[in-house]
Amino acid sequence: KFNCSIFEYQSSRETMIKILFLHGGGDDGYEADLKMATSLKEALGSNFDISYPRIKSNESTPDFGWPQEIHNHIAQCGNKVFIVAHSLGASMLLKCLSELSPLTTIKGLFLLATPFWSGPEEWKQGLILNDNFTGLLPKNLPIFFYHCKDDNEVPISHLSIYRQKIAKASFRELQNGGHQFDADFTPIINDIKTTADENQSINNAEN
C-alpha cells in the first residue's frame, strides 16, 4: 500500500538502497504500472526504499512537462538513486538526463519497453531525443534496456534502435510478457540487485 507515494519499510531508510520508479504514459499510466511497481517492491525486499510518484502532464508544453517533472522527482531522492522507468517514463527519463543536469548521483538505469520517438507528427516533436543525446548522458552510468518480443504497444524494433545508439548499455530481450512484463520480472530484479551489490563493493573499497 502506498503512503505519500513511498513504500514504507521497517528498516532504517538511511541504510536502504533508493529506487525511483517512473510509470508509463496515458490517462491511466500510474494505475496500469502499479502492479509492476508492487512486484518490484516485493521481489527486492526490505533493503530497498522505493518511491513511486505520479507524474503530472502539462499539455501546454511540447514534451508534456515530463522531463522537468522527472528532474524534480530525482532531486527529491537524496544523494544516490537507482531508477526504473517504463515506456513513456523511460524515454522521457533519457530526455531529462540528456537535457537537464541531474542534481542527484544516479547509480543505474533500468529501462522497460522504451519507445524511440521519431516521425513528422507535431505531437511527437517534443518527445524526440537530440541527435547527440548519448554523449549528454551522465558518464559511466550503467544502463539496462528490457523489451518483450510480444509487446504490442512498443515494438521490439525500438530496442534495436537503442542498441545502435547506446552501445555501452546492456540489452535484455524477453520472449513474452507484453508491454507490462506480465510473465517474468526476474531478469530486471537480478540486474538491480547485482548493480546495487557492485556499487556497494565500490563504496566499501573507497572507504
Side-chain angles (χ1 to χ4, degrees), residues 21 31-40 86 112-113 146-153 174-188:
F21 189 105
E31 288 74 17
D33 285 357
L34 180 58
K35 179 181 177 181
M36 194 181 300
T38 301
S39 297
L40 183 71
H86 179 234
L112 287 58
Y146 309 86
H147 219 113
C148 297
K149 292 182 178 180
D150 61 348
D151 188 333
N152 292 323
E153 294 189 37
L174 284 67
Q175 283 299 124
N176 47 56
H179 190 60
Q180 295 300 130
F181 291 75
D182 292 331
D184 189 6
F185 221 50
T186 303
I188 303 162

Side-chain angles (χ1 to χ4, degrees), residues 7-203:
F7 289 107
E8 296 294 343
Y9 296 101
Q10 295 178 353
S11 305
S12 171
R13 293 182 62 189
E14 286 74 17
T15 61
M16 293 165 70
I17 299 167
K18 298 176 183 177
I19 300 249
L20 174 64
F21 189 105
L22 303 173
H23 62 79
D27 294 336
D28 62 346
Y30 182 87
E31 288 74 17
D33 285 357
L34 180 58
K35 179 181 177 181
M36 194 181 300
T38 301
S39 297
L40 183 71
K41 162 196 172 293
E42 294 173 348
L44 287 175
S46 59
N47 288 331
F48 292 81
D49 178 21
I50 305 178
S51 175
Y52 184 53
R54 186 186 295 271
I55 301 174
K56 300 177 181 177
S57 294
N58 182 352
E59 303 294 334
S60 67
T61 62
D63 58 14
F64 302 100
W66 276 52
Q68 185 62 56
E69 272 277 298
I70 291 171
H71 183 267
N72 295 342
H73 286 300
I74 294 173
Q76 295 172 13
C77 288
N79 187 32
K80 299 176 182 178
V81 64
F82 295 84
I83 305 179
V84 180
H86 179 234
S87 196
L88 178 64
S91 62
M92 291 299 93
L93 173 60
L94 290 174
K95 189 171 182 65
C96 167
L97 295 180
S98 60
E99 297 182 9
L100 303 171
S101 298
L103 302 177
T104 295
T105 301
I106 300 171
K107 307 306 293 185
L109 302 183
F110 306 87
L111 309 177
L112 287 58
T114 311
F116 185 85
W117 299 101
S118 62
E121 294 89 345
E122 184 176 353
W123 68 269
K124 289 183 179 178
Q125 299 313 300
L127 308 179
I128 294 175
L129 293 164
N130 291 327
D131 291 339
N132 62 336
F133 81 94
T134 302
L136 300 175
L137 294 172
K139 305 300 181 183
N140 302 316
L141 175 63
I143 304 175
F144 297 83
F145 284 86
Y146 309 86
H147 219 113
C148 297
K149 292 182 178 180
D150 61 348
D151 188 333
N152 292 323
E153 294 189 37
V154 180
I156 189 69
S157 58
H158 288 237
L159 184 70
S160 299
I161 297 174
Y162 280 112
R163 197 190 299 270
Q164 296 171 4
K165 299 286 185 179
I166 313 179
K168 65 179 182 179
S170 298
F171 297 86
R172 314 280 194 242
E173 292 187 20
L174 284 67
Q175 283 299 124
N176 47 56
H179 190 60
Q180 295 300 130
F181 291 75
D182 292 331
D184 189 6
F185 221 50
T186 303
I188 303 162
I189 298 299
N190 289 341
D191 284 336
I192 292 174
K193 288 185 174 180
T194 298
T195 306
D197 288 344
E198 291 173 349
N199 181 67
Q200 187 60 49
S201 297
I202 293 172
N203 290 341

